[in-house]
Amino acid sequence: MRYVYLVLFAIVLGLPFAVRHVAMRGQTIATEESNSLRLIIVTVHNGDIRREFARAFDAWHRSHFGTGVVLDYRVPGGTSDMVHFLQGRPTDPQIVWGGGDYTYYHDLQPLGLLQPMHLDPRLLEAAFPQDTLAGVHLYDGTKDSRGTSTPQWVGVALSSFGVVYNPQLYQTLGLSTPAAWADLANPKLFSLVALADPAHSGSAAVAYMMVIQRAMADGEADFFKRNPQLKALAKSDLRKRPDYQAAIASGWKRGMGQLLLIAANARYFTDSSEVVPTDVGRGEAAAGMAIDFYARVTEETVGPDRARYIAPYASTAITPDGVAILGHVSGPQLELATQFVEFLLTPEGQRLWILKAGVPGGPVERSLRRMPIRRDVYTDQSGWADHFNPFEEAGGFNQRGEWMALLSDTRPIWDAAWIDSRDALLDSYAKILKVPDEQRRAELLRQLADVPITMREVEDRRTERLRLEAAHADVNLWSAQQRILWGGRFRAHYAAVAKNAM
Amino acid sequence: MTSIEQEPLLATMLPRRAKRARNAPRPALVHSILAGCLYVFFAVFLIWPILQIVRTGFTRPNGALTSEYFLLIFKDAVLVRGLLNAAAIAIGVTLLTLIISLPLAILSVRYTFPGRGLLNGLLLVPLVLPPFVGAIGMQIVLGRYGPLTQLVGGGPMGIDWIGKYRAAGVVIIEALHLYPVMLLNLQAALANLDPAMEQAAANLGAGRWTIFRRITLPMIRPGLFAGCTLVLIWSFTELGTPLMFGFYTVTPVQVFEQITEVAGNPVPYALVVVLLLASSLLYLIGKVVLGRGFDATTTKASVAAGSIRLRGWKAALAAGAFGLVFLLAVVPHVSVILTSFSVTGSWYKTFLPAHFTLDHYRQALTDPLALPSVRNSLEYAAWATAVALVVGFAAAVVIVRSTIRSRWLIDALCMLPLAVPGLVLSFGYLSISIWLVKLWPVKFHHPAPLFLNVQEWPVLMLVLAYAARRLPYVVRAAAAGLQQTPRDLELAASNLGASRFTVLRRITLPLILANLIAGALLAFAFAMLEVSDSLILAQRMDYYPITKAILDLSQRLGDGLYIASALGVWAMVLLTLTILGANALLGKKIGAVFRL
């Protein structure tokens, strides 16, 4: 009798494997029998994307070349896991697929992991009538000796970062639909904004940087309004002008202040950016900053009355999500890999990202709800799961490389100001919100947003960090010490404003 | 013979044992060899990881010694607050478990009432259910529009339980998970209490409260100390629950975040050293407050205490108290079960899910992360159990059967993993691996073998970490079995010419088989549930064990939480069967396995 539990234990243990074995038996045989070619792909894409593209590419290859292809995926984890995996220079995968332009430019290309791709020039031209979207390159600009484009990676989809909000909660709170980043600083959203920790989420960090860049761009626009004659000046000459620098720096400071007020509304700073739309959909948070398709997938899961996505007009980064062929691939495998990349750039491959599930040419199980990168596919949006056009939404604005350089050194300052000093920030913010006089309250909020740091200091930090890195000094220790110093400075600032509010 | 299952570990460290050992005959060669092997095992897998952390936390990248990282922690207001928060949580959890367990312990030891046996057994169930799976459930129960809000009726904005009571949530979840540890220790202490003392006090006219305060409480101090220490250190270093609740300003989470943030950062190692020191400090404070001047002999009952039979409403009240605690403890788990069966997003603004489905189980079977993680966990846990079984049996033989003087040290070393935070050990393994991988090419001119590189192939390190962490259960179970097996049987076989191996195979092993299976089951169950080791050591997705997969899935978009719940439910069923199986095999002695 007492061994009954052991038997039950064994049954429960084996059950999932037995069920899976029975359930999967038919499927495996079908694919094994009918396919002879195999392409190994390292990817960060989720299961839905992997399944749908495997199915679609297999069908496409059959109709064009007469043979089916099995896509054999390797999924090491997130983007940094993927880079780490590829650093070990595995010899079996042929393709790397997924990850932003930053990953390709800063991680994979410098490591020499990729090879120049010889894609059909007509396809490349049709897919990318312009190389850039509001200044951001959509594919790598490598060219061979004859001037033919041989990119080491190409973008195949676009990602943006925007606001995900819960319309039900917004209605309850009496708030109108958010339209700009600044709307998240509304004191009514106190403790209701879900944010990701910039130290853990690279995409969130880029989004925070965009809030600042928008303010910097406004500063620049103001400068040109005052000095229209300088608009024609070369960038390098402009940068030498102290008045131009001052305008940009004041924009930077305004952006930091705006972010600080959003951070004061934060419910938490999660290390997983996927938690943000989930919590908005569950009604735990009213709004958050999220990647477009995370938000759209949540919308599909819980319904549009509980989660909606908007990209703030002309103030979000819209960046390409890439694909590349690994350096060691050659012969027939190279041909197959090139066919896969070309498929992703065809109108069929592009529409798969956005068509509703079940629509002809669309995904079979679930819509993927990501933005295609080909401008021409946006002209006919019939059967689409979402309707938008990033080429218009960008509003001529996108991230700027030279301003992006400050990101690495701004991140620890956000940590010090928002996360390390969170209690002091909340204490000060709560005191301000209790001030009955509206004007005085607005003045105190302005004081709070007047951050105790300048752009110059961040630039100096960058210079110092690069110097220490070059000298192989203990940068970790230095960073930790700096962070403590900044934390102290911000806490003093919050305490001073709190005192004024008393 | 002193029975280990009746006495806490500290009793084995008392001087009287050493004195007796001095008069004992010379230890057998086999025992000496076994003891030697055990010392090597402990040195490599227990002591080295701890020393390695201390080293890393005090060494600059260029190899020079420094105390700067260590001192930095105390200059950093946030890290200091993390320590204070962790300590506050630990104290809160300990007090709450005490409040829950003390009345229950008295009720179950001093009184009988219908259903006592079953209710007492059920109380152990929360122990084998992973607390962080409970945290998933609790997030739903405590959601702004979750069942609790529906029960008490919130306004249009609902009630923000988690936002307002984050720390309290962590304390309650951990207390509801850990009270069985306290309960088992208190029950043992109360059962061992000599009723003559209390009777004498009563004869001298002392009231019930006076007797409790002046006689009972002081005499159960060893059990109180063991229970409090275990709960205090466990909750002080708990990683999974605060992580799930998004409570980041506690030291274990800070360590975890820092290690995932920057590779090669020595600050988290220094932080782990602080954690270890703080744990030791808590242990010492507990010892000073509760363990001072106690001698196990005085707590040993000379007469068995008769229990009072409760009837009518009194019996119902007693059973009700047990039932209530059990129900509270399984609320999160019930919520996980309901989640696993509810249609995605359909549990919103309702007390129960609006629509049910089996779909998440189907997805769990086909998800590329879910089922492989189950297979990984089974593989790691099976190997870890095998290692723990061999080492644990050897240790039990040395502790119970040998006359080696230092056997108390082996006993203490076996129990050390209970007192050393899981986070510390797993960090130690990680640190050793990184160090070896760096050192290997310098010394041997080729890359380190794969099994040493935890970032590429964490299997070996995971198995060893699981085995070391769960060794105490196997040792306790095996020792209990050996003590019940009369030595005479083994001696008789030897006299008849049987070799040592034959005696082991034909006499000892069959007689303690049930104990070994029970110990193995528990070691296996806890290895399947291990959180700290898994989160820190399994850094590659294809090697994720089930706990890391559940954490990962629960944060995934769409139906991730639901698939995680389905996985959690499967784990719960498996582990409940495990504890019931172990309970059936060990009978009343199951409690001994969880004692310090």
Side-chain angles (χ1 to χ4, degrees):
Chain A
M1 178 60 203
R2 56 188 190 163
Y3 290 99
V4 165
Y5 290 114
L6 283 183
V7 177
L8 282 174
F9 178 82
I11 292 173
V12 173
L13 204 63
L15 194 66
F17 297 99
V19 174
R20 183 184 156 98
H21 184 73
V22 172
M24 300 294 276
R25 198 187 282 159
Q27 290 177 8
T28 349
I29 293 166
T31 45
E32 289 296 319
E33 265 178 0
S34 52
N35 289 295
S36 48
L37 299 176
R38 179 175 292 266
L39 188 63
I40 304 179
I41 298 176
V42 183
T43 185
V44 287
H45 284 308
N46 65 35
D48 289 335
I49 294 176
R50 296 199 299 265
R51 263 196 311 277
E52 296 297 349
F53 274 92
R55 200 177 280 140
F57 181 59
D58 179 55
W60 182 82
H61 203 269
R62 248 172 239 280
S63 71
H64 283 73
F65 303 97
T67 46
V69 184
V70 173
L71 297 188
D72 184 357
Y73 293 110
R74 302 291 140 87
V75 191
T79 315
S80 53
D81 300 310
M82 181 174 82
V83 172
H84 184 76
F85 177 76
L86 289 169
Q87 275 170 344
R89 293 172 194 272
T91 49
D92 45 338
Q94 288 113 26
I95 294 263
V96 49
W97 182 29
D101 53 346
Y102 190 90
T103 305
Y104 288 85
Y105 271 135
H106 293 267
D107 297 323
L108 302 178
Q109 246 177 315
L111 284 168
L113 289 168
L114 313 177
Q115 60 171 294
M117 295 187 282
H118 297 279
L119 304 170
D120 180 353
R122 280 165 305 168
L123 178 71
L124 213 51
E125 203 168 305
F128 302 108
Q130 289 162 339
D131 298 351
T132 58
L133 166 57
V136 169
H137 281 274
L138 299 177
Y139 64 99
D140 170 47
T142 306
K143 288 192 165 89
D144 67 7
S145 52
R146 282 168 296 167
T148 314
S149 193
T150 52
Q152 295 205 15
W153 63 269
V154 290
V156 290
L158 289 170
S159 313
S160 74
F161 217 95
V163 175
V164 57
Y165 71 104
N166 183 318
Q168 281 186 5
L169 269 173
Y170 257 63
Q171 204 180 359
T172 312
L173 288 163
L175 290 170
S176 52
T177 308
W181 295 122
D183 290 343
L184 294 180
N186 190 326
K188 275 191 181 176
L189 289 171
F190 179 55
S191 179
L192 284 168
V193 176
L195 293 181
D197 182 348
H200 280 94
S201 166
S203 53
V206 171
Y208 301 142
M209 203 61 202
M210 292 317 291
V211 177
I212 296 180
Q213 289 206 8
R214 177 69 261 176
M216 289 164 87
D218 290 344
E220 189 183 50
D222 284 348
F223 175 77
F224 285 134
K225 209 183 266 174
R226 287 194 308 271
N227 312 288
Q229 74 285 2
L230 296 177
K231 227 174 182 174
L233 223 59
K235 272 262 161 72
S236 50
D237 291 330
L238 263 177
R239 261 182 240 131
K240 283 181 201 143
R241 292 182 65 97
D243 50 352
Y244 175 80
Q245 284 293 351
I248 300 291
S250 89
W252 183 90
K253 200 163 166 149
R254 250 197 331 277
M256 279 291 274
Q258 206 170 61
L259 268 177
L260 184 76
L261 293 183
I262 297 175
N265 274 338
R267 184 174 179 72
Y268 50 61
F269 295 92
T270 171
D271 59 343
S272 159
S273 47
E274 300 181 17
V275 168
V276 170
T278 305
D279 270 0
V280 170
R282 288 174 56 211
E284 293 302 308
M289 290 166 79
I291 297 176
D292 56 352
F293 68 99
Y294 282 4
R296 292 197 173 106
V297 167
T298 309
E299 183 183 323
E300 178 150 312
T301 317
V302 299
D305 55 333
R306 277 159 61 186
R308 287 301 288 275
Y309 174 79
I310 65 119
Y313 178 75
S315 42
T316 179
I318 300 177
T319 51
D321 196 276
V323 68
I325 300 176
L326 290 168
H328 62 84
V329 184
S330 60
Q333 285 299 340
L334 180 60
E335 199 180 326
L336 184 60
T338 308
Q339 283 162 2
F340 177 71
V341 175
E342 288 181 340
F343 163 71
L344 293 177
L345 289 175
T346 59
E348 296 104 296
Q350 286 287 297
R351 285 201 193 96
L352 194 59
W353 289 115
I354 188 64
L355 279 171
K356 276 188 211 158
V359 166
V364 175
E365 288 175 54
R366 239 191 291 195
S367 40
L368 306 174
R369 313 193 71 159
R370 294 203 58 170
M371 297 187 281
I373 202 164
R374 271 182 79 141
R375 199 168 188 151
D376 56 350
V377 299
Y378 284 91
T379 47
D380 175 15
Q381 301 202 357
S382 52
W384 280 30
D386 302 284
H387 299 274
F388 46 73
N389 188 339
F391 293 90
E392 285 164 12
E393 271 160 27
F397 176 80
N398 211 335
Q399 65 183 34
R400 287 210 202 160
E402 82 258 27
W403 290 346
M404 224 54 195
L406 287 181
L407 180 59
S408 308
D409 296 276
T410 315
R411 275 162 97 161
I413 292 164
W414 289 329
D415 275 320
W418 308 343
I419 299 170
D420 297 356
S421 315
R422 185 162 161 76
D423 292 346
L425 171 62
L426 290 187
D427 177 61
S428 168
Y429 191 52
K431 284 193 175 121
I432 295 171
L433 295 188
K434 274 189 198 139
V435 171
D437 180 49
E438 202 173 317
Q439 258 186 337
R440 182 152 166 64
R441 205 164 57 224
E443 163 57 21
L444 286 164
L445 283 174
R446 200 199 53 71
Q447 284 179 18
L448 186 68
D450 187 15
V451 291
I453 185 170
T454 62
M455 186 169 124
R456 182 61 197 268
E457 284 172 296
V458 180
E459 287 168 338
D460 289 349
R461 187 195 189 278
R462 178 178 146 83
T463 314
E464 177 65 4
R465 178 175 58 85
L466 293 176
R467 189 188 68 77
L468 288 172
E469 273 171 6
H472 299 287
D474 192 348
V475 180
N476 278 322
L477 182 65
W478 175 78
S479 290
Q481 287 165 337
Q482 289 281 305
R483 191 166 152 172
I484 294 173
L485 283 178
W486 286 119
R489 197 148 139 191
F490 271 90
R491 283 191 289 276
H493 169 68
Y494 301 147
V497 181
K499 210 171 153 194
N500 290 346
M502 295 294 271
Chain B
M1 177 178 286
T2 322
S3 77
I4 279 194
E5 81 271 19
Q6 292 287 321
E7 242 176 61
L9 165 74
L10 288 175
T12 63
M13 295 181 173
L14 288 175
R16 68 192 164 86
R17 274 218 142 195
K19 214 184 278 170
R20 197 167 55 192
R22 236 169 265 143
N23 304 329
R26 276 170 60 85
L29 182 64
V30 170
H31 290 156
S32 303
I33 294 172
L34 274 183
C37 294
L38 286 167
Y39 279 124
V40 172
F41 179 87
F42 290 126
V44 175
F45 298 115
L46 220 56
I47 307 298
W48 187 18
I50 295 173
L51 292 180
Q52 184 69 23
I53 287 181
V54 176
R55 228 178 68 107
T56 316
F58 286 92
T59 314
R60 280 185 185 280
N62 61 12
L65 279 179
T66 177
S67 60
E68 273 190 89
Y69 306 120
F70 187 76
L71 295 175
L72 193 76
I73 288 165
F74 298 98
K75 288 183 200 148
D76 190 335
V78 191
L79 294 181
V80 170
R81 203 171 62 232
L83 276 168
L84 293 177
N85 282 348
I89 286 180
I91 292 168
V93 171
T94 311
L95 287 177
L96 194 57
T97 51
L98 203 58
I99 291 168
I100 297 172
S101 309
L102 193 55
L104 292 181
I106 293 173
L107 269 177
S108 64
V109 172
R110 297 284 167 85
Y111 302 93
T112 55
F113 47 88
R116 185 180 76 159
L118 175 74
L119 287 167
N120 209 16
L122 281 179
L123 282 186
L124 295 184
V125 170
L127 196 60
V128 291
L129 301 181
F132 84 101
V133 173
I136 298 181
M138 228 37 199
Q139 279 184 328
I140 294 160
V141 174
L142 299 178
R144 184 187 292 278
Y145 297 114
L148 186 63
T149 301
Q150 302 307 317
L151 197 69
V152 300
M157 281 304 290
I159 301 173
D160 185 13
W161 301 99
I162 294 177
K164 282 186 183 143
Y165 312 107
R166 206 177 284 279
V170 172
V171 169
I172 292 170
I173 286 286
E174 288 184 23
L176 286 176
H177 171 66
L178 289 176
Y179 75 84
V181 173
M182 183 76 85
L183 184 67
L184 288 166
N185 278 287
L186 290 179
Q187 281 175 336
L190 278 167
N192 281 344
L193 201 77
D194 192 341
M197 299 277 194
E198 289 177 325
Q199 284 158 10
N203 286 344
L204 291 169
R208 275 188 190 198
W209 171 239
T210 314
I211 294 176
F212 178 74
R213 199 168 46 85
R214 303 280 302 271
I215 309 287
T216 318
L217 214 50
M219 290 186 69
I220 60 166
R221 268 204 326 235
L224 211 56
F225 166 62
C228 286
T229 312
L230 271 180
V231 173
L232 204 65
I233 291 174
W234 197 321
S235 52
F236 183 64
T237 58
E238 165 76 17
L239 170 63
T241 313
L243 197 61
M244 269 281 180
F245 263 92
F247 191 39
Y248 298 127
T249 323
V250 283
T251 311
V253 180
Q254 288 171 328
V255 170
F256 178 65
E257 299 280 299
Q258 290 216 11
I259 194 68
T260 48
E261 222 170 86
V262 205
N265 183 3
V267 177
Y269 292 88
L271 198 52
V272 172
V273 174
V274 176
L275 200 68
L276 188 62
L277 288 176
S279 292
S280 316
L281 189 71
L282 287 176
Y283 178 88
L284 284 177
I285 291 173
K287 198 170 171 177
V288 168
V289 174
L290 295 165
R292 198 179 22 184
F294 113 80
D295 184 344
T297 47
T298 59
T299 68
K300 198 84 184 128
S302 51
V303 217
S307 47
I308 303 161
R309 195 170 182 81
L310 294 178
R311 285 173 205 286
W313 65 270
K314 279 186 181 169
L317 212 61
F322 274 75
L324 183 71
V325 171
F326 172 70
L327 282 181
L328 277 178
V330 295
V331 161
H333 306 95
V334 171
S335 152
V336 171
I337 295 172
L338 285 171
T339 306
S340 75
F341 287 110
S342 70
V343 171
T344 305
S346 75
W347 201 355
Y348 184 68
K349 296 190 175 180
T350 49
F351 183 64
L352 288 176
H355 307 283
F356 290 92
T357 177
L358 280 172
D359 213 34
H360 308 306
Y361 286 88
R362 186 184 63 78
Q363 279 170 313
L365 287 173
T366 51
D367 187 274
L369 183 59
L371 207 55
S373 79
V374 171
R375 193 181 304 127
N376 287 343
S377 267
L378 289 175
E379 195 185 312
Y380 307 158
W383 279 109
T385 308
V387 174
L389 213 51
V390 172
V391 179
F393 179 66
V397 168
V398 172
I399 294 165
V400 178
R401 288 285 191 258
S402 84
T403 51
I404 291 170
R405 277 188 192 180
S406 63
R407 62 184 195 272
W408 65 270
L409 182 61
I410 291 187
D411 192 354
L413 282 170
C414 287
M415 294 301 118
L416 193 61
L418 287 183
V420 177
L423 205 61
V424 173
L425 270 190
S426 41
F427 237 78
Y429 287 116
L430 181 68
S431 170
I432 287 176
S433 165
I434 292 173
W435 181 70
L436 283 174
V437 167
K438 228 191 248 174
L439 193 74
W440 206 274
V442 181
K443 293 255 172 199
F444 304 103
H445 306 291
H446 57 82
L450 191 64
F451 66 88
L452 291 177
N453 189 342
V454 83
Q455 275 152 341
E456 291 299 324
W457 195 74
V459 179
L460 180 78
M461 295 279 180
L462 276 171
V463 165
L464 288 171
Y466 287 171
R469 296 268 294 140
R470 299 314 168 195
L471 189 62
Y473 305 123
V474 181
V475 174
R476 277 291 171 262
L482 283 177
Q483 276 159 348
Q484 289 161 337
T485 311
R487 187 88 205 265
D488 306 351
L489 294 178
E490 291 170 10
L491 293 175
S494 292
N495 285 344
L496 291 169
S499 69
R500 271 180 189 278
F501 181 71
T502 313
V503 173
L504 181 71
R505 192 168 55 85
R506 301 282 300 272
I507 310 284
T508 319
L509 278 180
L511 281 170
I512 65 160
L513 189 64
N515 289 63
L516 286 181
I517 292 176
L521 275 175
L522 289 169
F524 179 82
F526 281 102
M528 291 280 292
L529 290 178
E530 183 59 59
V531 179
S532 324
D533 298 333
S534 310
L535 293 195
I536 295 204
L537 293 176
Q539 299 190 349
R540 272 184 57 176
M541 204 181 237
D542 35 352
Y543 293 111
Y544 276 9
I546 188 165
T547 39
K548 189 148 185 174
I550 290 179
L551 186 72
D552 207 64
L553 279 168
S554 70
Q555 294 180 338
R556 193 197 282 179
L557 282 177
D559 43 18
L561 182 74
Y562 301 83
I563 302 176
S565 299
L567 261 187
V569 170
W570 178 81
M572 275 187 227
V573 174
L574 188 77
L575 298 167
T576 308
L577 283 174
T578 310
I579 197 140
L580 290 174
N583 197 24
L585 290 166
L586 276 179
K588 278 185 183 167
K589 275 154 227 85
I590 180 103
V593 178
F594 294 103
R595 266 176 235 145
L596 191 65

